Amino acid sequence: MNLGENLVELSKKISLNGRDFLCLADFSKEELQYLLDLAAELKTMKKEGIPYQPLLGKTMGMIFEKSSTRTRVSFEVGIYQLGGQGMFFSNRDLQIGRGEPISDTAQVISRYLDGIMIRTFEHEKVEELALHAPIPVINGLTDKFHPCQVMADFQTIIEQKGKLEGLKLAYVGDGNNMSHSLLLGCAKMGMNISIAAPEGYMPAADVVEMAEKFAEISGSNILITDSPVEAVNGADVIYTDVWASMGQEAEQEQRVKIFAPYQIDEKLVKHADQDYIFMHCLPAHRGEEVSSDVIDGGHSVIFDEAENRLHAQKAVMAAVMG
């Protein structure tokens, strides 16, 4: 079976056409696996120079209230490779920035566009946009969730380890949007996850509760602890993020002191499986959340992970906008 036939067979299995992509909790294990299989197929086709343009003639609006490198470039390149066009909007380019109701903006731009990707602060804003937009809305990042990043992460883990189910991922650092989406994604896919964070910076209780319900179905194990050593023990994947996310710059100095014991360094990774891989959603602060010898060492897959933002997001766009 050639690559084009593989895509046809994949599309017959599951249809996500017209769906919003806001949170991994909204999708079944089978639907997420379909997106991962599609991403792998699209990556192979790109490497072999085989065009695939299911979004020919379609346009996606990209709203950025938070600046970005990987999100903007990967989405803009991705929709172009799928045959469509991306339109960039900063907060200054839309009337949302001047107080227009999100519901009005959603209904107006949906008359022009075929899909919307938004990267913003409050998750409620994305939910409201999706509520009023009759076209698919993709969550490029909010303060609560980062589902597109986790799809790229899972694609990378499968490439490196051959599977997700039964592996252990250890996340060490701030219980932020990355920890939330990793919790939900691992629980859905049957992957064990441990999170180590200081008291006061743990993942949100409602997200942990949601993940635990999914874990009961998939059989994955969840551990929330304040001990980095306990979290990393036997891990196949070690993951971290910056200690102060965008919008938390005023807390940087305080957070550096609180999170200092949570740095991923050569001493900590000795507690992991000897074939562990290191991941980071980037941008990284070397010398803070991770030492240079780990992030630039032989176990690091951060640039494969960053590349897979392109392929994973192409799969999402093709599936919901195609």
Side-chain angles (χ1 to χ4, degrees):
M1 186 180 293
N2 63 37
L3 292 173
E5 290 172 341
N6 285 342
L7 284 176
V8 172
E9 289 304 311
L10 281 172
S11 65
K12 288 179 180 177
K13 291 167 53 180
I14 292 175
S15 175
L16 301 179
N17 190 41
R19 293 271 298 273
D20 297 317
F21 191 78
L22 308 186
C23 177
L24 298 181
D26 301 331
F27 295 85
S28 67
K29 178 180 181 179
E30 291 72 25
E31 289 170 335
L32 294 176
Q33 187 60 57
Y34 161 71
L35 289 173
L36 292 169
D37 292 342
L38 180 57
E41 198 77 1
L42 292 176
K43 183 173 183 176
T44 299
M45 293 183 77
K46 177 64 174 64
K47 299 294 185 184
E48 298 190 5
I50 302 172
Y52 178 64
Q53 298 190 319
L55 302 186
L56 192 64
K58 295 193 175 186
T59 304
M60 182 176 70
M62 305 186 303
I63 303 173
F64 282 85
E65 294 190 323
K66 281 189 174 184
S67 59
S68 170
T69 298
R70 280 148 292 276
T71 301
R72 178 173 180 180
V73 176
S74 56
F75 267 108
E76 199 159 341
V77 171
I79 193 165
Y80 171 78
Q81 291 179 0
L82 292 171
Q85 177 179 340
M87 295 185 66
F88 172 84
F89 302 109
S90 72
N91 214 24
R92 298 182 299 275
D93 298 320
L94 296 175
Q95 295 296 332
I96 290 177
R98 297 178 60 198
E100 181 177 57
I102 294 173
S103 58
D104 287 0
T105 297
Q107 293 177 78
V108 169
I109 64 176
S110 293
R111 302 291 181 102
Y112 313 134
L113 303 170
D114 302 288
I116 301 169
M117 187 283 298
I118 180 169
R119 180 180 168 95
T120 187
F121 293 88
E122 305 89 352
H123 188 70
E124 293 74 19
K125 183 176 288 188
V126 176
E127 292 178 324
E128 186 176 359
L129 184 68
L131 178 65
H132 295 284
I135 59 176
V137 174
I138 298 172
N139 176 7
L141 173 141
T142 66
D143 286 344
K144 192 166 187 178
F145 298 115
H146 198 354
C148 289
Q149 177 66 55
V150 172
M151 295 306 292
D153 297 337
F154 284 175
Q155 184 179 356
T156 309
I157 294 169
I158 292 170
E159 289 173 353
Q160 295 290 326
K161 298 292 187 180
K163 63 177 183 176
L164 295 174
E165 197 165 9
L167 296 178
K168 177 181 177 179
L169 184 148
Y171 176 92
V172 179
D174 187 23
N176 59 12
N177 50 6
M178 275 312 315
S179 75
H180 291 165
S181 286
L182 285 167
L183 264 171
L184 296 175
C186 288
K188 283 275 186 176
M189 302 307 291
M191 195 173 181
N192 303 317
I193 180 168
S194 56
I195 293 184
E199 289 293 335
Y201 297 88
M202 297 283 187
D206 63 324
V207 177
V208 175
E209 183 179 356
M210 196 187 318
E212 287 174 340
K213 291 179 180 178
F214 296 143
E216 289 177 4
I217 298 171
S218 69
S220 66
N221 295 315
I222 295 174
L223 171 67
I224 310 296
T225 179
D226 61 0
S227 168
V229 171
E230 184 180 17
V232 168
N233 186 44
D236 302 286
V237 182
I238 301 177
Y239 203 116
T240 193
D241 191 7
V242 294
W243 292 337
S245 298
M246 199 175 299
Q248 299 172 333
E249 289 82 1
E251 304 174 29
Q252 174 69 23
E253 187 175 341
Q254 177 188 10
R255 282 172 171 262
V256 166
K257 295 176 182 177
I258 293 171
F259 283 93
Y262 291 81
Q263 184 187 80
I264 308 292
D265 57 19
E266 285 288 359
K267 182 179 179 181
L268 181 61
V269 300
K270 288 180 180 178
H271 297 278
D273 182 84
Q274 63 179 1
D275 293 323
Y276 83 93
I277 58 173
F278 173 78
M279 306 184 78
H280 193 305
C281 53
L282 301 179
H285 294 168
R286 288 166 172 79
E288 288 187 12
E289 72 271 10
V290 58
S291 62
S292 295
D293 49 5
V294 171
I295 194 171
D296 297 318
H299 293 269
S300 178
V301 296
I302 59 169
F303 297 118
D304 293 329
E305 179 186 6
E307 178 192 342
N308 283 337
R309 287 290 300 277
L310 171 65
H311 310 297
Q313 288 161 186
K314 283 173 67 176
V316 172
M317 287 187 284
V320 304
M321 291 175 60

